[in-house]
Amino acid sequence: MMRALILGGTADASLLAAEIARAGLDAVYSYGGRTRAPADQPLPARIGGFGGVSGLADYIRREAITRVIDATHPFAAEMSRNAIEACTQTGTPLLALERAPWTAISGDSWIEVADVSAAVAALPEAPANVFLAIGRQHIAPFASKPQHVYTLRFVDPPEAPLPFAADVIVSRGPFTFDGELEMMRAREISWIVARNSGGDGARAKIDAARMLGLPVVMISRPELPERRRVESVTEVMQWLGHSTRLGA
Ligand code: 3Y8
Ligand code: NAP
């Protein structure tokens, strides 16, 4: 009896959940519990960690999960690694729904870096208006360049004091091109730091930066072990043995 676990938390995972619910397949949607009020899903949902690889393996056995779809974000590397390990241990088929990274096109001025500390190093010494569009969890290293005027964007209002003076925009996206242009102009943003999330939910800032001719410090995705991956909900549905009605 097919029962799928969706490791979610992204716009793509929400699209998959809608398709699975429409098909009437037995599935459960999993959030990591990072935000206060995650979006509702049309499937039974669970929130919070499993307790590492062993916790996930136990969950798979206890809940009689027969398929796992990793539809987490490309930067949710620990969750993705745990899923590979737990599915190997339990012999459960695993498929990743992962959008392709953004690639620079003419007009883009990207500085590609490997991680957050390299992103800090890439910023200029001279004071600038810097938009950090990398969420809440990884901003502390920017405290080493306090000369900049920082704008941050979080899903939820900050609970703890920030590691440096900054203005916080609270918004969960997806974001629009016009909205990003307007925000960057109003704040006279001169530098942007982003992660190569891919997908459409966050690419508006990249398009706006190109329009404004602004440099983008682009943090590359973490390396992940080999795993089967697709880029579309349709391919996931086919893998689940349920081809969606074409054009539906
Ligand atoms: C909890 C689920 C939807 C989902 C929206 C997508 C689009 C907006 C792009 C910017 C970049 C960032 C951040 C971002 C994007 C979508 C999508 C995507 C980036 C929600 C969600 C959860 C999270 C967790 C949150 C992280 C944070 C990262 C903000 C829900 C809204 C910056 C990633 O406060 C925190 O602790 C937030 C943590 C992980 C990265 C970080 O380290 O701070 N996402 N984002 C998921 C869970 O609990 O399992 O609350 O409903 C999902 C979305 N985030 O339905 O349209 O690409 O899917 N999310 C990044 O790209 O760098 C925003 O501001 O431009
Ligand atoms: P992470 O660092 O890869 O994972 C850390 C731990 O959080 C995992 O080991 C697991 O805990 C728990 N976890 C993460 N995602 C989970 C999920 N979907 N269901 C159950 N437990 C989960 O994860 P992250 O980067 O903080 O991302 C957390 C969530 O936010 C994910 O759902 C991801 O899709 C979403 N998200 C992340 C980003 C981003 O930039 N990272 C962007 C958009 C959305 P245990 O080890 O205890 O099981």
Side-chain angles (χ1 to χ4, degrees), residues 105-117:
I105 60 174
S106 69
D108 282 329
S109 51
W110 291 5
I111 301 168
E112 301 202 55
V113 295
D115 53 33
V116 173
S117 52

Side-chain angles (χ1 to χ4, degrees), residues 104-248:
I105 60 174
S106 69
D108 282 329
S109 51
W110 291 5
I111 301 168
E112 301 202 55
V113 295
D115 53 33
V116 173
S117 52
V120 180
L123 289 179
E125 288 311 315
N129 290 347
V130 180
F131 174 36
L132 296 186
I134 55 170
R136 172 187 64 149
Q137 298 181 91
H138 306 288
I139 56 169
F142 290 92
S144 67
K145 288 200 173 175
Q147 66 270 37
H148 300 308
V149 176
Y150 288 108
T151 296
L152 310 180
R153 182 152 67 191
F154 290 175
V155 177
D156 295 316
E159 287 130 3
L162 298 172
F164 49 84
D167 187 31
V168 179
I169 300 172
V170 179
S171 171
R172 75 169 47 221
F175 308 100
T176 65
F177 176 72
D178 293 339
E180 302 288 62
L181 264 190
E182 198 247 319
M183 181 271 289
M184 291 179 190
R185 284 184 171 133
R187 294 164 180 266
E188 297 177 348
I189 299 295
S190 49
W191 283 76
I192 289 130
V193 180
R195 287 165 163 183
N196 201 326
S197 310
D200 304 326
R203 73 159 309 129
K205 59 182 176 283
I206 308 302
D207 298 335
R210 184 185 314 116
M211 164 71 87
L212 297 172
L214 301 180
V216 176
V217 179
M218 183 64 80
I219 302 171
S220 308
R221 295 176 173 188
E223 288 295 311
L224 285 176
E226 259 311 291
R227 64 202 176 141
R228 191 164 172 193
R229 62 178 287 279
V230 294
E231 291 185 15
S232 75
V233 167
T234 304
E235 289 167 287
V236 177
M237 295 307 285
Q238 284 161 353
W239 182 69
L240 292 174
H242 194 94
S243 50
T244 45
R245 295 182 308 285
L246 285 182

Side-chain angles (χ1 to χ4, degrees), residues 26-46:
D26 186 0
V28 60
Y29 189 99
S30 181
Y31 278 115
R34 283 280 177 286
T35 55
R36 280 203 197 139
D40 290 335
Q41 293 297 338
L43 294 171
R46 63 172 297 292

Side-chain angles (χ1 to χ4, degrees), residues 6-10 30-32 34 46 48-53 56 71-73 75-80 82 99 137 195:
I6 303 169
L7 299 174
T10 61
S30 181
Y31 278 115
R34 283 280 177 286
R46 63 172 297 292
F50 295 97
V53 172
L56 177 54
T72 61
H73 191 272
F75 281 79
E78 189 182 353
M79 184 71 258
S80 294
N82 288 1
R99 53 277 181 104
Q137 298 181 91
R195 287 165 163 183

